[in-house]
Amino acid sequence: MPRASKLLPSLGHAASGAGGTIISTLATYPLDLVNTRLKVQRQLRADGAIGPEDGYGGIVDAFEAIYEREGGLKAFFAGLGADLGKSAADSFLFFLFYTWFRAKRLRVNEPYLKVLEELAVGAAAGACAKLFTTPVSNVVTRRQTANLISSSSRSQPSTPTEGSPVRPSFPASPTKDLSFTETIMSIYRERGLLNGLWAGYSASLVLTLNPSMTFFLQQILKRMLVSRENWEEPGSAITFVIAALSKVMATSVTYPFQIAKARVMVSAPQSQSQAQPGGSEKEKEKGKETGENGDHGTATQTAKEVTKKAARETIFSTVLRIAQTEGVKALYDGIGGELLKAFFNHGLTMLSKDIIHGLIIQLYFAVVAALKDYKKLKEKLGKRAKKARADVSRFYMLAGLAAQMVRQRGLKQTLVMAGLVGKGKGE
C-alpha cells in the first residue's frame, strides 16, 4: 500500500478522534474534576496543603461542596480550556499514531491484529502522544486542585503559638489566578523539568496499556457482537456500548496507576516535604552537623538527595508505597466516579468520532468532485480563451493587410478586390 494511502486515513481518524474527544470532554469535565480531587486529597493532606477535615466523602459530597463553596457551576469548569487543548492534542496524536502503526502491521485479508500486536500498537501510540501532552496534563491537574487548596483550612492565615509546630506554607491560590504560561513556569521553578513538567510520564507509559487494552477489548467485543459485513459501520448504539464497556474494563485494571500519577503531579517538592515536622532523629542530627558548614552545603546536599530519591522513585514503587502505608483501598479512591466518567466519556468519544469521520469522508469526496469539476471548467475556459486569442490575432492580421492594400491601391480598388463592391461601381 502506498505511503500516502495510509497517511490520509490516519489523518482522518486523528481529526475525527480529536473532535470526538472535545465533545466528550465538554460533557464529562465536571465529573473529571471531581475524580481528580478524590484521587489526590490523601496526598494533599500528607503534604499539609489541606487539613485533615478538608476534602470530600464521595462523589455526591464533592459535587455539593464544590457548588456551595466555590461559586456555583463555574467552579466545575476550572482548567477547562487547557484540558480541551490537551485532550484534543492527545487524542489527535494517539489516533494518528495508532491508525498509522496499525495500518503498517495489518496483513492482506486480515482485518485485525493478533493480541500482542494490538496491545503493542496501542501502547506505542499512547507513549508517543503522552510525550507531547504530559506538561499540559500537569497544568490541568494543578488548576483542578487549586480551589480545593485555596479553600482549605490550612490556607487560612493563623498566628502560631509558642511551641506549636511550624507547617510548610502553601500559597492561598496556587494556580487559579495564573495564566497557562505562568503555571508552566511555576511548575518548572518548583520541581524542574523532568520531575516537574514531565512528572507522571513514567506512569503515563504504564497507563498506555489503558488505551491499548481499550481498543483490544473493543475489537473483541465488535467481533462478538457485530457481524463481519457490518464491522465498518456497526451502528450508533452498538458503537457507544462497545466503546463504553471496553473503557470501563480497561480502567478497572489500570486505576491504581492513575492514582499514583495524579499524586505525583500534585505532591509537594521534596524540600517542602523534608521541612515538615516529625522528621526522623537521624535527619535532625544530620541537619545540626551540616549547619556548621553553612546553608550552601546543606542546600547542595539536599538537592543531591532529592535527585537521587527522584531517580529511585518509579510508578511501581509509588503504588507499592501507597498500598503499604495507606492500604489497598487507597489505590481505588474515587473509582466509582472514574468508571462512570470512562463509560460516558469514551462512549461519546467513539460515537462522535464515527459521526465526524463520516462527515470528513463526505467532505473529502465533495472537495475532490469540486476540484475535478473546477479542473474541467478551467480546461474548457482555457480552450475558449485560446480560441479567442487566436481570433483576435487573426483580426489584427487581416486589419493590417487591409490597411496596407488601401495605402497601395486606394479604398475603392481594395473594396472591389475584397468583393464588397462590384467592378462596375468601383470604376
Side-chain angles (χ1 to χ4, degrees):
M1 183 180 291
R3 182 173 297 180
S5 62
K6 291 182 180 180
L7 180 60
L8 288 176
S10 300
L11 290 173
H13 282 288
S16 59
T21 299
I22 289 175
I23 294 173
S24 62
T25 299
L26 284 171
T28 61
Y29 187 78
L31 187 57
D32 181 50
L33 182 141
V34 168
N35 290 336
T36 300
R37 294 193 181 186
L38 291 175
K39 290 175 187 175
V40 304
Q41 59 182 0
R42 285 177 184 259
Q43 182 66 45
L44 293 177
R45 290 194 191 101
D47 291 339
I50 61 176
E53 69 281 5
D54 298 315
Y56 314 107
I59 298 176
V60 177
D61 180 51
F63 271 102
E64 292 177 350
I66 293 172
Y67 183 83
E68 292 175 359
R69 301 174 190 169
E70 300 178 20
L73 291 176
K74 66 178 183 179
F76 292 104
F77 295 93
L80 175 61
D83 192 48
L84 283 178
K86 187 268 296 183
S87 299
D90 206 358
S91 181
F92 181 88
L93 292 171
F94 175 81
F95 281 108
L96 178 65
F97 289 119
Y98 178 80
T99 310
W100 174 261
F101 293 155
R102 196 170 188 274
K104 292 180 73 68
R105 295 297 302 172
L106 280 176
R107 300 169 184 84
V108 180
N109 298 326
E110 290 188 16
Y112 53 87
L113 300 175
K114 296 178 181 179
V115 175
L116 293 179
E117 287 181 317
E118 192 75 58
L119 291 174
V121 165
C128 292
K130 294 295 183 183
L131 179 64
F132 296 97
T133 59
T134 295
V136 187
S137 182
N138 276 280
V139 173
V140 172
T141 302
R142 283 288 187 98
R143 290 188 171 184
Q144 287 180 336
T145 57
N147 284 333
L148 173 60
I149 297 174
S150 63
S151 62
S152 69
S153 58
R154 290 289 177 91
S155 66
Q156 306 303 323
S158 59
T159 304
T161 59
E162 185 178 354
S164 63
V166 179
R167 293 168 177 164
S169 60
F170 289 83
S173 181
T175 55
K176 68 176 185 178
D177 296 328
L178 301 181
S179 66
F180 177 84
T181 305
E182 290 172 337
T183 306
I184 285 279
M185 295 306 299
S186 174
I187 296 173
Y188 176 74
R189 285 193 296 268
E190 290 176 14
R191 304 176 63 95
L193 192 65
L194 296 180
N195 295 325
L197 295 178
W198 267 269
Y201 180 66
S202 61
S204 298
L205 293 179
V206 178
L207 289 173
T208 55
L209 290 174
N210 186 288
S212 61
M213 288 175 61
T214 298
F215 283 94
F216 169 66
L217 292 171
Q218 200 165 302
Q219 296 297 328
I220 291 180
L221 292 175
K222 186 184 289 188
R223 274 180 268 170
M224 293 172 58
L225 301 177
V226 182
S227 58
R228 188 183 180 102
E229 57 270 16
N230 294 327
W231 275 3
E232 293 298 326
E233 297 181 0
S236 300
I238 293 295
T239 298
F240 181 90
V241 171
I242 289 177
L245 290 178
S246 60
K247 187 66 174 179
V248 166
M249 289 186 281
T251 301
S252 300
V253 176
T254 60
Y255 189 73
F257 296 101
Q258 294 185 31
I259 288 283
K261 176 185 175 183
R263 290 201 183 189
V264 167
M265 287 180 171
V266 302
S267 62
Q270 295 294 329
S271 57
Q272 279 189 353
S273 299
Q274 291 174 354
Q276 292 187 38
S280 64
E281 293 296 330
K282 185 177 179 180
E283 291 176 347
K284 292 178 180 179
E285 187 67 27
K286 190 175 182 180
K288 291 179 181 179
E289 294 176 359
T290 56
E292 298 176 358
N293 298 326
D295 294 337
H296 177 70
T298 304
T300 303
Q301 187 174 3
T302 302
K304 291 180 179 179
E305 291 176 355
V306 169
T307 303
K308 291 180 181 179
K309 186 172 182 179
R312 293 193 301 266
E313 192 79 6
T314 65
I315 186 61
F316 297 101
S317 63
T318 302
V319 170
L320 183 61
R321 175 173 52 78
I322 294 173
Q324 290 176 341
T325 58
E326 304 175 29
V328 176
K329 184 180 179 182
L331 293 173
Y332 293 91
D333 282 346
I335 189 172
E338 187 67 26
L339 293 180
L340 186 64
K341 176 214 163 187
F343 183 87
F344 288 105
N345 185 283
H346 194 65
L348 285 172
T349 296
M350 297 308 297
L351 179 60
S352 303
K353 175 184 176 294
D354 284 354
I355 294 174
I356 295 173
H357 188 252
L359 294 175
I360 289 177
I361 292 176
Q362 293 179 13
L363 179 63
Y364 171 77
F365 284 113
V367 171
V368 169
L371 289 176
K372 287 182 178 179
D373 293 339
Y374 172 75
K375 186 177 181 181
K376 291 179 181 179
L377 179 62
K378 185 177 180 181
E379 290 177 354
K380 189 175 181 180
L381 291 175
K383 290 179 180 179
R384 289 185 177 181
K386 186 177 180 180
K387 185 176 180 298
R389 287 194 296 270
D391 291 340
V392 171
S393 298
R394 193 179 300 112
F395 170 79
Y396 280 121
M397 183 183 68
L398 293 175
L401 290 174
Q404 186 177 2
M405 291 179 68
V406 168
R407 288 196 300 270
Q408 293 177 353
R409 301 176 181 271
L411 179 60
K412 291 184 178 181
Q413 188 65 24
T414 301
L415 293 176
V416 170
M417 292 178 65
L420 299 176
V421 178
K423 188 173 181 181
K425 293 181 179 181
E427 294 175 351

